[in-house]
């Protein structure tokens, strides 16, 4: 009887410890495998429940895989769907000429920026548009999306929210695909890099990658979900003390700054509103006070070339996955008790 009571108490405590979060996932090509690792660590902890996800580009793929898994089989299903997604991405990567040199790969340097294939890609995308060099608009992710995702389930589930970010070309505004709008085309629109792929048509409108204007968008999680706890997984480096002097490094740094700018603005706005609530200027019962959380590793992403985001070699994806898992576990160990109570992101230090 004592053992039964003890077990019952354990179950009760475990139930009380369950923490509900929303997750915003940044894009970054194959670097999204790092996010896969973070999510795997979070989902492995049964005390964590994800109410909804927003994502852009690779972050959109991760968000879609996690949402589908949660809708069908909970956290375990999400981990399995994410693993399937990235296994298939890696299999497609085996066919790609964009691979690191063997001697670089041996020392865990997966840069492709000096390879002939990458140099050729830079040259041709600099003088030809996707409508010229890719007239049939082939997308390497299309077969992966077709095999992994079940959009009927995704568009009908009420177990988890999913919000995919894309850029509406005609207006330059952010488009959020959600609910019945979720489709194969919506996922591909979110990941439509304009120098590589023709604009994606969805319901008569045309879209590019969402990273230009919402990478990722946080506001859908604020407006559509109940939880005040939002975790941002950021894979675009923020801090870089080095002044870039080569063309390659200048383009890399410009890309990092540009793709972080929208997130920076949203985080600043959230910090401003939170301060008004804390100071009593805005009544706490009039607006939801958010607990913001952030996982980012500038040191790790500073150690790999941004151009490696084009490399989907299975060994590289595994390397990123393991790094993400380490970050996810470390964040949980340090911050689990704060979920539901306070922000752990240092917004003023990192974004203001």
């Amino acid at each position: 009887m004592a053992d039964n009571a003890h077990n019952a108490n354990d179950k009760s405590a475990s139930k009380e410890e369950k923490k509900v979060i929303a997750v915003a996932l940044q894009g970054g090509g194959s670097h999204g495998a790092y996010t896969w690792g973070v999510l795997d660590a979070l989902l492995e902890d049964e005390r964590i429940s994800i109410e909804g996800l927003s994502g852009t580009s690779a972050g959109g793929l991760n968000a879609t895989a996690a949402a589908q898994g949660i809708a069908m089989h909970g956290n375990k299903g999400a981990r399995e769907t994410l693993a399937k997604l990235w296994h298939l991405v890696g299999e497609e990567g085996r066919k790609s000429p964009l691979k690191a040199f063997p001697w670089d790969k041996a020392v865990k340097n997966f840069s492709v920026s000096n390879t002939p294939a990458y140099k050729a890609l830079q040259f041709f995308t600099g003088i030809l548009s996707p409508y010229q060099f890719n007239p049939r608009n082939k997308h390497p992710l299309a077969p992966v999306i077709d095999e992994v995702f079940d959009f009927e389930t995704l568009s009908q589930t009420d177990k988890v929210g999913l919000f995919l970010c894309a850029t509406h070309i005609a207006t330059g505004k952010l488009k959020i695909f959600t609910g019945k709008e979720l489709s194969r085309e919506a996922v591909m629109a979110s990941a439509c890099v304009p120098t590589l792929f023709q604009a994606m048509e969805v319901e008569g409108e045309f879209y590019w990658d969402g990273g230009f204007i919402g990478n990722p968008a946080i506001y859908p999680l604020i407006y559509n979900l109940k939880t005040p706890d939002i975790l941002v997984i950021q894979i675009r480096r923020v801090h870089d003390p080095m002044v870039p002097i080569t063309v390659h490094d200048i383009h890399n740094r410009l890309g990092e700054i540009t793709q972080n700018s929208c997130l920076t603005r949203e985080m600043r706005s959230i910090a401003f509103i939170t301060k008004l609530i804390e100071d009593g200027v805005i009544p706490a019962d009039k607006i939801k006070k958010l607990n913001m959380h952030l996982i980012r590793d500038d040191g790790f992403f500073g150690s790999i070339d941004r151009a490696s985001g084009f490399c989907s070699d299975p060994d590289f994806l595994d390397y990123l996955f393991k790094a993400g898992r380490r970050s996810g576990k470390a964040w949980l160990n340090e911050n689990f008790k704060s979920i539901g109570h306070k922000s752990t992101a240092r917004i003023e230090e990192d974004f203001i």
Side-chain angles (χ1 to χ4, degrees):
M1 290 290 291
D3 286 343
N4 289 338
H6 180 69
N7 290 337
N9 289 334
D10 282 349
K11 289 179 180 178
S12 175
S14 176
K15 189 173 182 180
E16 290 174 5
E17 283 287 313
K18 197 103 171 171
K19 301 294 184 81
V20 181
I21 63 173
V23 187
L25 309 177
Q26 201 171 47
S30 66
H31 293 173
Y34 174 92
T35 302
W36 164 35
V38 174
L39 289 172
D40 191 72
L42 297 176
L43 292 160
E44 185 179 45
D45 192 326
E46 288 296 334
R47 298 173 301 170
I48 294 291
S49 176
I50 297 178
E51 185 185 358
L53 307 99
S54 74
T56 298
S57 199
L61 288 168
N62 278 320
T64 305
Q68 179 172 305
I70 291 169
M72 299 178 74
H73 302 293
N75 283 14
K76 181 175 182 290
R79 295 180 69 196
E80 291 172 350
T81 308
L82 282 161
K84 180 178 181 181
L85 168 69
W86 286 101
H87 171 74
L88 291 173
V89 170
E91 289 303 304
E92 289 295 317
R94 293 186 193 277
K95 309 171 189 175
S96 171
L98 285 165
K99 291 182 173 66
F101 291 119
W103 49 87
D104 285 335
K105 185 174 172 179
V107 294
K108 302 299 184 184
N109 179 351
F110 294 88
S111 174
V112 298
S113 59
N114 291 317
T115 63
Y118 184 72
K119 295 291 187 184
L121 178 68
Q122 283 186 308
F123 175 76
F124 284 113
T125 56
I127 61 172
L128 299 173
S129 82
Y131 297 86
Q132 295 169 312
F133 71 78
N134 187 12
R136 297 178 65 185
N137 202 27
K138 285 192 173 183
H139 199 303
L141 288 176
V144 175
I145 291 170
D146 290 340
E147 184 165 348
V148 176
F149 297 138
D150 176 358
F151 291 103
E152 184 175 352
T153 295
L154 285 164
S155 64
Q156 295 179 4
T157 184
D158 59 359
K159 294 182 179 179
V160 60
L162 175 60
F163 310 92
L164 300 179
C165 311
T167 301
H168 186 237
I169 297 173
T171 63
K173 293 181 180 179
L174 182 65
K175 168 65 178 178
I176 301 296
F177 294 99
T178 190
K180 293 182 179 179
E181 295 178 313
L182 295 169
S183 65
R184 175 183 191 265
E185 290 73 24
V187 175
M188 294 178 70
S190 181
C192 182
V193 180
T195 56
L196 298 178
F197 309 112
Q198 296 176 25
M200 181 56 59
E201 183 177 1
V202 185
E203 298 292 329
E205 300 291 332
F206 291 86
Y207 300 91
W208 280 335
D209 190 300
F212 301 104
I213 197 162
N215 194 21
I218 297 174
Y219 76 85
L221 304 176
I222 300 173
Y223 296 156
N224 296 284
L225 304 179
K226 293 180 180 179
T227 181
D229 286 83
I230 298 175
L231 169 62
V232 178
I233 303 176
Q234 189 174 12
I235 59 176
R236 288 299 192 204
R237 182 173 50 161
V238 172
H239 300 291
D240 182 1
M242 302 297 292
V243 176
I245 58 175
T246 67
V247 172
H248 176 70
D249 289 343
I250 290 170
H251 282 304
N252 278 355
R253 189 59 185 145
L254 280 173
E256 289 171 342
I257 293 170
T258 301
Q259 297 224 335
N260 280 322
S261 62
C262 300
L263 175 61
T264 297
R265 286 196 294 272
E266 274 202 277
M267 293 294 271
R268 285 176 173 174
S269 297
I270 290 168
F272 177 68
I273 297 298
T274 299
K275 184 72 165 56
L276 293 179
I277 295 171
E278 291 174 346
D279 291 347
V281 177
I282 298 177
D285 61 342
K286 296 296 183 182
I287 191 169
K288 178 167 65 176
K289 181 176 180 291
L290 300 174
N291 300 320
M292 297 302 300
H293 310 284
L294 176 69
I295 293 178
R296 185 179 76 212
D297 189 343
D298 279 354
F300 174 75
F301 282 103
S303 72
I304 58 176
D305 186 13
R306 185 171 179 266
S308 63
F310 288 98
C311 176
S312 51
D313 181 295
D315 291 335
F316 183 45
L317 300 183
D318 183 63
Y319 179 66
L320 291 163
F321 169 75
K322 289 175 179 176
R325 266 189 64 85
R326 288 194 298 271
S327 291
K329 282 181 168 292
W331 185 85
L332 275 174
N333 288 338
E334 183 176 349
N335 299 293
F336 179 81
K337 291 182 179 178
S338 296
I339 301 174
H341 300 290
K342 64 179 182 179
S343 293
T344 60
R346 301 170 299 180
I347 297 179
E348 291 192 4
E349 180 178 332
D350 289 334
F351 295 97
I352 298 177

